[in-house]
Amino acid sequence: MPSQTQQTRPSNPWESAGAELAAQHKSTAPAPAAESAGKAGPRTPWVPQDERSGAVFARRLGRGLVWGVLILAAVTGVRAWFIPPKVDVPPAPKVTSGPTYPNAEAQAVAARFSRAYLAWDQDKPEDRAALLAAVMPENSDTSIGWDGRGRQDVLAVQPGAVTTGSQHQARVRVDVLIKTEAPAPTGKDKGKAAAPESPARWVGLDVPVVETAGRIIVTGEPGLVGIPSKGPKAPDLNTTKTDQELAASTEGTIEQFFRAYAGGDTDAVTAPGASVPPLPEGVEYKGVVTWSVDEGTGDDRSGTARVSWTLGEGTVEQTYRVELTRVSSADAARWQVADVRGGTL
C-alpha cells in the first residue's frame, strides 16, 4: 500500500505550485478577499494581460486603409484605375524645310532663255534659234517672239523671284537690260541721216518653266512686264555719334591708305596681319571727301569714308566702312587700317 506521504503529494507539479501560491495569498490577503478566493477555488499561476498597444494600432490602421480605398473608389470611379483617362497631346510642331523646287536651276535657265529671247540680228537668225533650242522642249518653235527683223543687244540679265505652281511649274522673274539699234536707212531714205541711237533700258520678263526628267525647261512664250521707276521710301535708320577728335587725328592715315589702295600696294599702310587687296588698274585716287569715326572705346574702332576716284574721263564718289586698330611699339602707338569694305554697313 502506498505511504501517506505519497497519497498527499500532488501528482502534477503545476498543481502543487498553484496550491502553494494560493495558500500564500490566503494567509496575507484580507478576510473578505480570502473568503472570496476560497469560494472561487484555486487561482491560475499567471496573470492575464491586456493586448499590446502596437497590435491595436496596426489593426486600426488596416481598417482605416480599407475604408480609405473604398471611399477613393467611390469618388474617382474604379474604371479610372484600370483605364486611364485620355490626355490631349499637343500636335507636333511643323518642321519647315527648305524649298523643294530647284530655284537656282530655274533662275539659271530663265536667264539663259531671256538673253537669247531678247537678243536678235536679222542677218544671223540661226544664232538666236540655237540658243533657244537648248532651253526649250524638243521640236519647239525657236522663232517665238520675233518677226526676224532688226537688231537688239542684251547688256545684262538679272534673274529674280521664283513663283511655284502645280505640276512642277514655276514662273521666274528676270530683269533684262537691252539696247536696240536704230534701223539703217534703205531705199529712198539712204541719203538721210540715221536715226538717233536708242538708250539702254531695263525690261522685265516673266518666264514660264517646268521641271521634268531632272531638268528645267521653258514651256512657252514669256511676257514683258513693267519695272518700277523708283524704289520705296527708305526706313529711318539710327544715326551713329562720331568721335571728332579721333577722326581728326587719323585723317592723314586714311588718306595715305586710299592713295595706296588705288596705287596697288596696301601692305605698307595696313595693320600687321591684315590683308586688303588693292583696286584694279584704271582707278586713280582723287581725294577723301569726308571721314568720320564712330564713337566708342578700345583699340578697335570703325569709321566711314567717302572717297573720290577718277575712272577714265569721269569722277565717281564711293562710300567705305573702315576698320581701324591701334598698333603699339616701343616708341609710340598709332592707328592703322585693318579692313575696308564698300557701303555704310
Side-chain angles (χ1 to χ4, degrees), residues 86-92:
K86 294 183 179 180
V87 179
D88 294 336
V89 179

Side-chain angles (χ1 to χ4, degrees), residues 120-126 128 142-151:
W120 52 68
D121 186 344
Q122 62 184 10
D123 295 333
K124 300 177 181 179
E126 65 278 2
R128 179 178 184 271
T142 55
S143 64
I144 59 171
W146 180 47
D147 62 359
R149 297 184 299 176
R151 292 181 178 85

Side-chain angles (χ1 to χ4, degrees), residues 10 13-26 42-43:
W14 288 101
E15 293 179 358
S16 176
E20 293 178 0
L21 187 63
Q24 293 177 1
H25 182 72
K26 182 177 181 181
R43 302 171 70 99

Side-chain angles (χ1 to χ4, degrees), residues 62-81:
R63 292 175 180 174
L65 291 175
V66 172
W67 278 107
V69 171
L70 294 176
I71 295 173
L72 182 63
V75 174
T76 61
V78 178
R79 181 176 180 274
W81 293 9

Side-chain angles (χ1 to χ4, degrees), residues 1-117:
M1 247 182 114
S3 62
Q4 186 177 358
T5 306
Q6 291 176 344
Q7 291 178 356
T8 60
R9 179 180 298 174
S11 61
N12 191 331
W14 288 101
E15 293 179 358
S16 176
E20 293 178 0
L21 187 63
Q24 293 177 1
H25 182 72
K26 182 177 181 181
S27 62
T28 58
E35 293 178 0
S36 60
K39 294 179 181 180
R43 302 171 70 99
T44 58
W46 60 83
V47 179
Q49 300 291 332
D50 292 337
E51 189 174 359
R52 294 181 178 274
S53 60
V56 175
F57 173 78
R59 184 170 63 252
R60 292 178 178 176
L61 178 62
R63 292 175 180 174
L65 291 175
V66 172
W67 278 107
V69 171
L70 294 176
I71 295 173
L72 182 63
V75 174
T76 61
V78 178
R79 181 176 180 274
W81 293 9
F82 302 97
I83 305 176
K86 294 183 179 180
V87 179
D88 294 336
V89 179
K94 295 182 179 180
V95 179
T96 56
S97 57
T100 57
Y101 201 83
N103 290 352
E105 185 179 355
Q107 290 175 323
V109 170
R112 290 173 55 190
F113 173 84
S114 299
R115 180 178 291 277
Y117 182 79

